[in-house]
């Protein structure tokens, strides 16, 4: 099942700290992690999901997204963060629903190219201790 | 309240006793109060009349002293008597007004209570004719009834909690079977889950109510974090009560404590971001012109996230409780629940003691 970690995200993760893709000019406090900006086309969202060990999709400026990001950062994960503008919200939600086969709400986390869940699931699995092994298995965490 | 129709009072000047005949105006109005359909205008009219009466009476009382020297003794008596009667009438009037207003306040409270009960019954699906709902009381009525329902529910919850604590205590002292103890532990946990459900419900009605912890005692509020206990703090308090633990349990509890702290930190930072966001939104644009409706409306939208935070905090408490029940044996879990119950009692006792302890005069 485990496929090799795509080169791009591996490089970015080991580089540490923040790295920015060329099409994301603004700074924003998203709670840390790399910052990506989604384009309109469907493939772009799909690409983000597949190419990143951990990626968090959330509304721009959303405090709950901030919570997810801070929690992941606190664990030593460097999550990719996709801040979705209001206008693109519906489109992105639709696309993510298609990818994952279910109803999606922001903020939403994808791990290892698959849907992981929202803040609820992140919290529950964190408390039960399941979260860290899952992250390690997806290559989001080393140690 | 009973009001006598005649009263004997001493006339100050002459030392004689005179019957005062009361106009039964207040008495008549008292009878109508038991009927909740009071016309507001009647009350206002009566109140106005009273104001005028007591004013004229006191005015009259200022006049007489100049007449005192000029008159012969007989008319003098008459005047003195009349003045005394006026004074007395005014005093009686004031007393009656006070009593009447008190009755009004009580009726008003009763009315609010009845409306809340009505709202509750309606929410429970009993049809009672929707005349008194949203249209009459408006949104604040729905909020108040949500809060009232919660407060009543919490009172019942506390009673049930105390019962369960007593049961746990006697169960642990006696030697009951593992299965029976397990049942008590499960009830205890479910009971807390029930509280989280209640809080979630009232948070939708008024999230600030939950954040303020108004239903709790002062010492409990002192320790509050997003509308309740901080799970990691509770673990610190309770774990020593559950000794002895196996090595594996110690490790598991340690990990749980750390996970709680990490989750709490993430939520706290989220709250901080929310404060910054609301503040920035509220303060956007020029301040000083007195126009700010759009800013306030936008800030309110952001503030809605507070409900999520309260729910997430309670979710964290619930998950922590659940995880502890997996780590501990039945007996240990029972001791933990008992200790938690007693800790809350001690906090409540502290609040009580604080409220009653003598303080230095201001």
């Amino acid at each position: 099942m485990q496929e090799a970690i795509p080169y791009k995200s591996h490089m970015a993760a080991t580089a540490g700290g923040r790295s920015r893709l060329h099409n994301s000019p603004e700074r924003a406090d998203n709670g840390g992690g790399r910052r990506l900006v989604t384009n309109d086309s469907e493939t772009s969202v799909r690409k983000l999901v597949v190419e990143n060990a951990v990626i968090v999709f959330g509304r721009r400026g959303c405090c709950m997204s901030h919570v997810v990001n801070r929690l992941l950062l606190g664990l030593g994960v460097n999550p990719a963060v996709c801040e979705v503008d209001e206008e693109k919200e519906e489109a992105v939600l639709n696309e993510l629903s298609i990818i994952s086969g279910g109803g999606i709400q922001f903020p939403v986390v994808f791990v290892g190219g698959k849907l992981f869940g929202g803040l609820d699931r992140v919290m529950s699995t964190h408390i039960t201790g399941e979260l860290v092994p899952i992250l390690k298995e997806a290559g989001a965490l080393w140690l | 309240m009973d009001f006598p129709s005649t009263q004997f009072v001493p006339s100050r000047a002459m030392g004689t006793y005179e019957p005062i005949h009361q106009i039964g105006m207040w008495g008549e109005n008292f009878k109508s109060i038991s009927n909740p359909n009071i016309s507001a205008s009647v009350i206002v009219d009566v109140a106005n009349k009273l104001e005028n009466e007591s004013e004229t009476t006191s005015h009259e009382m200022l006049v007489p002293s100049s007449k005192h020297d000029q008159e012969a003794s007989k008319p003098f008596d008459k005047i003195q008597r009349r003045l005394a009667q006026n004074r007395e009438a005014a005093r009686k009037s004031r007393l009656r007004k006070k009593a009447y207003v008190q009755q009004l306040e009580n009726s008003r409270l009763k009315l609010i209570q009845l409306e809340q009960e009505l709202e509750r019954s309606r929410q429970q699906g009993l049809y009672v004719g929707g005349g008194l709902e949203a249209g009459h009381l408006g949104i604040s009525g729905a909020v108040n009834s949500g809060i009232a329902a919660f407060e009543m529910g919490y009172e019942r919850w506390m009673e049930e909690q105390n019962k369960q604590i007593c049961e746990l205590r006697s169960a642990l002292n006696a030697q009951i079977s593992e299965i029976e103890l397990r049942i008590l532990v499960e009830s205890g946990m479910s009971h807390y889950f029930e509280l989280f459900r209640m809080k979630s419900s009232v948070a939708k009605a008024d999230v600030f109510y939950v954040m303020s912890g108004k239903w709790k005692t002062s010492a409990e509020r002192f320790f509050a974090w997003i509308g309740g206990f901080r799970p990691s703090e509770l673990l610190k308090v309770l774990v020593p009560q559950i000794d002895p633990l196996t090595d594996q349990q110690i490790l598991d509890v340690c990990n749980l404590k750390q996970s709680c702290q990490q989750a709490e930190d993430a939520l706290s930072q989220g709250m901080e971001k929310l404060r910054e966001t609301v503040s920035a939104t509220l303060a956007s644009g020029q301040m000083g012109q007195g126009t700010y409706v759009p800013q306030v409306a936008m800030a309110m939208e952001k503030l809605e996230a507070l409900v999520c935070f309260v729910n997430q905090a309670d979710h964290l408490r619930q998950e922590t409780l659940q995880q502890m029940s997996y780590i501990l044996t039945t007996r240990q879990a029972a001791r933990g629940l008992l200790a938690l119950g007693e800790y809350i009692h001690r906090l409540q006792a502290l609040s009580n003691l604080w409220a009653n302890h003598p303080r230095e005069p201001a």
Side-chain angles (χ1 to χ4, degrees):
Chain A
M1 179 243 117
Q2 205 49 37
E3 50 186 10
I5 301 163
Y7 179 74
K8 214 196 291 181
S9 56
H10 174 79
M11 280 306 293
T14 48
R18 282 181 216 215
S19 65
R20 237 164 242 122
L21 294 185
H22 59 273
N23 59 346
S24 51
E26 312 121 45
R27 278 192 70 90
D29 180 22
N30 60 0
R34 292 171 298 150
R35 195 168 162 280
L36 306 159
V37 171
T38 183
N39 298 326
D40 266 301
S41 67
E42 299 173 354
T43 45
S44 173
V45 167
R46 194 178 288 270
K47 222 164 150 237
L48 291 173
V49 165
V50 159
E51 288 179 355
N52 290 285
V54 178
I55 179 163
V56 180
F57 290 90
R59 289 184 195 94
R60 189 179 299 281
C62 170
C63 300
M64 284 310 175
S65 292
H66 193 91
V67 173
V68 175
N69 293 331
R70 290 313 313 179
L71 186 56
L72 291 173
L73 275 171
L75 296 175
V77 178
N78 194 13
V81 174
C82 183
E83 290 188 340
V84 183
D85 292 319
E86 209 177 319
E87 314 90 62
K88 309 208 180 123
E89 208 178 290
E90 211 182 304
V92 174
L93 274 173
N94 275 335
E95 182 51 32
L96 291 174
S97 300
I98 295 169
I99 296 173
S100 56
I104 300 263
Q105 275 180 347
F106 286 140
V108 66
V109 182
F110 282 77
V111 176
K114 290 190 299 216
L115 172 68
F116 182 74
L119 181 53
D120 268 1
R121 178 129 198 265
V122 172
M123 284 288 187
S124 317
T125 51
H126 177 61
I127 291 297
T128 58
E130 298 167 279
L131 183 59
V132 166
I134 292 175
L135 291 171
K136 281 189 186 164
E137 207 186 343
L141 254 184
W142 283 269
L143 244 174
Chain B
M1 188 169 172
D2 248 349
F3 247 84
S5 53
T6 57
Q7 189 88 359
F8 284 86
V9 291
S11 163
R12 275 195 198 131
M14 305 307 292
T16 56
Y17 285 79
E18 301 281 357
I20 308 292
H21 297 284
Q22 302 299 324
I23 304 161
M25 185 174 62
W26 283 124
E28 278 161 15
N29 279 310
F30 269 120
K31 285 177 206 135
S32 66
I33 286 171
S34 49
N35 174 359
N37 296 322
I38 304 165
S39 162
S41 53
V42 168
I43 296 161
V44 173
D45 284 344
V46 165
N48 282 340
K49 261 192 194 170
L50 251 177
E51 285 300 331
N52 295 336
E53 261 195 35
S54 43
E55 274 171 25
T56 47
T57 310
S58 51
H59 183 69
E60 279 178 353
M61 280 161 68
L62 293 172
V63 173
S65 30
S66 52
K67 291 190 183 174
H68 185 86
D69 302 329
Q70 295 167 30
E71 302 291 335
S73 55
K74 218 177 172 187
F76 173 77
D77 288 349
K78 252 195 202 162
I79 288 160
Q80 282 303 316
R81 194 168 64 218
R82 188 161 55 83
L83 293 175
Q85 284 174 348
N86 282 344
R87 278 196 295 273
E88 199 45 44
R91 192 176 76 85
K92 286 287 171 191
S93 243
R94 279 192 297 274
L95 282 174
R96 278 175 151 185
K97 179 183 178 183
K98 205 169 159 196
Y100 174 68
V101 168
Q102 188 64 42
Q103 276 271 28
L104 270 181
E105 290 287 3
N106 291 342
S107 299
R108 189 175 146 267
L109 281 171
K110 182 122 197 266
L111 192 63
I112 291 177
Q113 238 175 356
L114 283 170
E115 281 175 326
Q116 281 165 1
E117 269 177 48
L118 210 63
E119 181 62 34
R120 263 197 302 282
S121 311
R122 283 191 65 254
Q123 278 170 5
Q124 285 165 27
L126 308 165
Y127 179 73
V128 201
L132 275 174
E133 40 100 331
H136 181 73
L137 280 178
I139 293 166
S140 64
V143 167
N144 288 334
S145 67
I147 292 176
F150 176 82
E151 289 187 339
M152 269 191 38
Y154 184 71
E155 218 180 286
R156 281 197 297 268
W157 189 90
M158 252 346 273
E159 282 169 17
E160 176 63 28
Q161 170 79 342
N162 294 336
K163 241 195 286 176
Q164 286 188 2
I165 293 299
C166 286
E167 276 177 355
L168 269 173
R169 193 176 291 131
S170 42
L172 282 169
N173 289 334
Q175 293 301 319
I176 73 166
S177 71
E178 165 87 11
I179 297 172
E180 284 173 310
L181 196 58
R182 186 82 229 162
I183 292 173
L184 284 179
V185 166
E186 293 293 329
S187 313
M189 307 245 305
S190 302
H191 198 55
Y192 279 109
F193 299 166
E194 173 63 33
L195 180 62
F196 297 142
R197 268 194 298 277
M198 283 165 52
K199 281 170 73 183
S200 177
S201 201
V202 75
K204 290 193 200 107
D206 184 356
V207 70
F208 282 118
Y209 174 79
V210 177
M211 287 295 290
S212 72
K214 281 208 184 94
W215 70 96
K216 292 191 277 200
T217 62
S218 41
E220 289 174 274
R221 265 179 263 139
F222 175 60
F223 288 101
W225 170 80
I226 314 186
F229 281 115
R230 203 182 260 272
S232 60
E233 265 177 24
L234 271 191
L235 285 178
K236 280 191 208 126
V237 165
L238 298 179
V239 166
Q241 303 291 327
I242 312 179
D243 273 351
L245 299 167
T246 66
D247 286 343
Q248 182 61 44
Q249 284 179 324
I250 292 174
L251 183 62
D252 288 340
V253 167
C254 202
N255 287 335
L256 179 58
K257 212 185 295 180
Q258 190 183 34
S259 300
C260 278
Q261 262 156 357
Q262 286 165 329
E264 287 161 18
D265 285 344
L267 281 172
S268 295
Q269 287 173 53
M271 284 285 285
E272 194 47 50
K273 173 123 203 268
L274 181 60
R275 281 189 205 103
E276 283 169 26
T277 306
V278 171
S279 176
T281 305
L282 205 55
S284 64
Q286 268 250 326
M287 281 197 275
Q289 293 311 311
T291 54
Y292 43 72
V293 167
Q295 283 90 339
V296 173
M298 279 196 314
M300 219 206 66
E301 260 183 56
K302 310 268 176 195
L303 206 50
E304 309 251 346
L306 202 52
V307 179
C308 283
F309 275 101
V310 168
N311 287 336
Q312 284 301 325
D314 275 348
H315 180 238
L316 181 62
R317 291 173 188 116
Q318 183 157 332
E319 291 294 311
T320 305
L321 203 59
Q322 191 75 266
Q323 187 66 6
M324 277 298 270
S325 80
Y326 295 151
I327 296 174
L328 301 176
T329 65
T330 307
R331 195 158 195 89
Q332 288 169 328
R335 296 225 304 275
L337 282 174
L338 183 58
L340 177 54
E342 172 133 345
Y343 183 59
I344 294 173
H345 282 161
R346 292 190 188 189
L347 281 170
Q348 291 171 341
L350 177 60
S351 307
N352 208 11
L353 189 63
W354 181 264
N356 293 313
H357 88 281
R359 287 184 180 80
E360 287 176 13

